[in-house]
Amino acid sequence: MKIIGIETSCDETAVAIIDDQKNILSNLVNSQIDLHQQYGGVVPEIAARSHVEILDRLIVESLAQANIDFDDLDAIAVTAGPGLIGGVIVGLMMAKTIASVYKKPLIAVNHLEAHALTARLTNNVNFPYLLLLISGGHCQILLAKGIGSYEKLGQTIDDAIGEAFDKTAQMLGLPYPGGVAIEKLALGGDQNKFNFPKPLIDSDFDKKHLCDFSLSGLKTAVRRLIEKLTNAEFCHRTSHQKLSLQQKSDICASFQKTISQIIINRLENSLVILNRRNINISQLIIAGGVAANRYIFNKITANFNNLSVISPPIKLCTDNGAMIAWAGIERFKLNMVDSLDFKPRPRWEL
Ligand code: KG4
Ligand code: ZN
């Protein structure tokens, strides 16, 4: 069984072909980072246009690399949401066209489910497992019970963790994507230099939010600290120029430490809640772009030494076509195919 996966929901145009023996026959990702860098975040219109320009070439290249033709495919899997609507439309229409011309089944994949299932492609992971999904667009803790069966235990009520990294990096004058730059600079910083708030945890205000995240207060705290250190009102253009490299490094290290403490606290609460329901978890999967952060990964691993903590290889943790193709394989095996009138779903809860 061979399935092509198409991903265009954010700022990566990605195509991959996978077989049911977990062989990745091709996995091409065209990142648009350079197009969005000057804006400090993804610009939806620019993203959609770029997907249009590159997607057909990427599909042809992908088939050539896998040394197969459209006719050899068993199904077409595509991200149908959630994501930026322009991009999702580009991918979904392309997938529908191929499916209709070559008379292949269409599999409309939920992007979040694809992230959730990636560890079953790369590692031998069995249901149920706990999933921490942390990227620029997503921030949630999920209980994965089976294909198409997930329970959201917690999510962000404002910014995603990757977004908090990106916004903090922007305030420090660091390049997008911010997470990479912050992790690097943090290496030379003192993580105990500054005390940042842990919203929802410090206040312990609401038992409804035991597994949720709130990060906008943390972002504001960084901004205030910069104002204090520079002794001036914050300005995106000039403030960071007044900070020394050491000050920036200390902010990065302290910020990263706070984020990891927040994550660990939320995961602990999730496990307690599941334990009370007699659901015993032995595997914790970390997926999404922030999973690339070694500091955070190591802190989590050290804290949960009774769990097997798994993170797919970075290339499969950030948005890619292989995860879409794999979700396609998992669903196709269960005859979960979709009709050609499947509508794009910019918002699509798991
Ligand atoms: O999964 P992804 O490629 O795209 C989506 O957002 O869906 O994740 C990108 C996000 C960005 O916010 C980026 O800053 C963050 O992942 N990221 C990191 C690291 N590498 C990427 N955050 C922290 N540490 C990293 N090393
Ligand atoms: Zn994603």
Side-chain angles (χ1 to χ4, degrees):
M1 186 195 294
K2 292 187 188 71
I3 290 188
I4 191 167
I6 298 171
E7 158 60 39
T8 55
S9 68
C10 193
D11 61 340
E12 269 98 13
T13 317
V15 180
I17 296 167
I18 294 201
D19 69 17
D20 56 347
Q21 299 304 305
K22 300 187 173 180
N23 295 308
I24 301 179
L25 306 179
S26 65
N27 186 21
L28 303 173
V29 181
N30 178 68
S31 167
Q32 303 176 354
I33 282 180
D34 49 341
L35 295 180
H36 303 289
Q37 205 150 34
Q38 57 177 308
Y39 306 102
V42 180
V43 183
E45 177 71 18
I46 294 175
R49 281 167 191 256
S50 174
H51 291 308
V52 171
E53 279 165 20
I54 202 154
L55 183 57
D56 47 0
R57 184 159 50 86
L58 223 55
I59 290 172
V60 171
E61 264 178 51
S62 187
L63 288 164
Q65 239 182 51
N67 206 12
I68 60 168
D69 207 344
F70 283 115
D71 285 318
D72 301 315
L73 293 168
D74 292 276
I76 318 298
V78 61
T79 301
L84 301 172
I85 185 66
V88 173
I89 290 175
V90 173
L92 188 56
M93 292 311 291
M94 177 67 87
K96 286 180 177 180
T97 308
I98 300 169
S100 124
V101 169
Y102 292 93
K103 305 210 170 2
K104 304 286 178 186
L106 175 81
I107 302 167
V109 172
N110 180 310
H111 180 93
L112 301 171
E113 175 168 46
H115 274 303
L117 296 176
T118 307
R120 287 166 54 82
L121 164 69
T122 57
N123 302 70
N124 284 324
V125 175
N126 294 315
F127 297 114
Y129 54 85
L130 196 63
L131 176 80
L132 171 70
L133 181 54
I134 41 176
S135 71
H138 344 291
C139 176
Q140 37 189 271
I141 299 174
L142 292 167
L143 171 65
K145 297 186 274 196
I147 308 299
S149 176
Y150 309 89
E151 183 182 332
K152 191 161 50 185
L153 299 171
Q155 66 182 332
T156 183
I157 59 172
D158 40 56
D159 295 344
I161 292 184
E163 202 178 349
F165 267 99
D166 294 336
K167 287 178 177 171
T168 297
Q170 203 180 21
M171 287 190 269
L172 295 173
L174 303 173
Y176 174 83
V180 180
I182 288 183
E183 182 176 13
K184 213 160 139 195
L185 218 52
L187 291 173
D190 173 3
Q191 60 174 8
N192 299 316
K193 183 82 183 178
F194 303 114
N195 248 329
F196 289 125
K198 295 190 272 297
L200 293 185
I201 299 175
D202 290 341
S203 60
D204 197 22
F205 82 100
D206 193 337
K207 294 281 176 274
K208 273 195 308 223
H209 290 295
L210 287 174
C211 308
D212 290 328
F213 297 84
S214 168
L215 298 153
S216 64
L218 181 55
K219 185 183 63 196
T220 310
V222 173
R223 189 189 167 108
R224 290 225 182 89
L225 173 66
I226 296 174
E227 289 187 325
K228 201 172 126 200
L229 292 174
T230 57
N231 212 4
E233 202 174 313
F234 182 81
C235 164
H236 262 294
R237 245 178 338 103
T238 57
S239 287
H240 61 84
Q241 293 167 355
K242 299 176 192 153
L243 293 170
S244 69
L245 183 63
Q246 191 56 50
Q247 283 174 322
K248 287 187 189 180
S249 302
D250 293 342
I251 293 174
C252 289
S254 305
F255 170 83
Q256 202 171 241
K257 177 187 163 199
T258 307
I259 293 276
S260 71
Q261 288 173 333
I262 293 172
I263 293 175
I264 286 170
N265 177 282
R266 305 287 94 177
L267 287 172
E268 278 171 350
N269 287 353
S270 304
L271 289 165
V272 168
I273 287 168
L274 290 177
N275 201 6
R276 274 196 215 128
R277 289 167 51 190
N278 288 325
I279 300 172
N280 282 315
I281 296 296
S282 60
Q283 290 176 313
L284 166 66
I285 314 301
I286 311 178
V290 184
N293 188 297
R294 285 301 95 187
Y295 173 90
I296 292 177
F297 182 83
N298 292 338
K299 284 282 172 195
I300 295 175
T301 312
N303 191 76
F304 297 101
N305 49 21
N306 53 338
L307 291 182
S308 127
V309 183
I310 296 163
S311 172
I314 310 294
K315 216 178 154 203
L316 299 177
C317 257
T318 54
D319 290 352
N320 64 88
M323 69 180 194
I324 307 303
W326 176 251
I329 295 226
E330 296 251 45
R331 292 183 81 82
F332 194 55
K333 278 188 194 162
L334 299 173
N335 287 321
M336 297 165 95
V337 298
D338 297 281
S339 75
L340 283 182
D341 65 357
F342 195 98
K343 309 274 184 301
R345 298 183 181 170
R347 290 173 191 279
W348 185 2
E349 296 272 320
L350 259 185

